[in-house]
Amino acid sequence: RNYIKTRKFLPYVQDFLQVYPENGLVYLATDSSKVWSEIQQSWPISDRIIRQSFVQGTSPNRTAAFELGISPHRTNIEALTDIRALSKCHFLLHGWSAMTEA
C-alpha cells in the first residue's frame, strides 16, 4: 500500500462537488485525527464533508483503531457504521486503508 497525502484528494473531491453542486456531500471514513484536522483547516469545502462525529478510535499517527486500547466492540461498531455509509456512496475514493481494500 502507498500512503497518499490528504491534499492529493482535494481535486477529486472538488470535481465531484462541481458535478453535484446543490446536494453533493463527501463521507469521510478515517481513523486519523490528523486527516480530519487537516481537512478542517485547509480545505475550502470542509462544510460539505460528513463523518461519524463521535468516533473514539482515532489516532494522530498510523496506528490502527483496533490497536488503540479502545473496546473491540466499539471499534467494530465504528467500522461497520463506516462500511454501511460507504455502501451508500456513488463514488468511492480511498487511500491507505485495509477496510476499503477488503
Side-chain angles (χ1 to χ4, degrees), residues 30-43:
T30 184
D31 295 338
S32 174
S33 58
K34 191 175 178 180
V35 166
W36 177 236
S37 179
E38 181 179 340
I39 288 171
Q40 286 183 297
Q41 292 173 11
S42 62
W43 286 25

Side-chain angles (χ1 to χ4, degrees), residues 11-21 23-26 90-91:
Y12 298 101
V13 172
Q14 288 174 317
D15 287 348
F16 174 80
L17 294 175
Q18 282 182 348
V19 173
Y20 300 98
N23 59 356
L25 293 171
V26 173
H90 293 104
F91 181 73

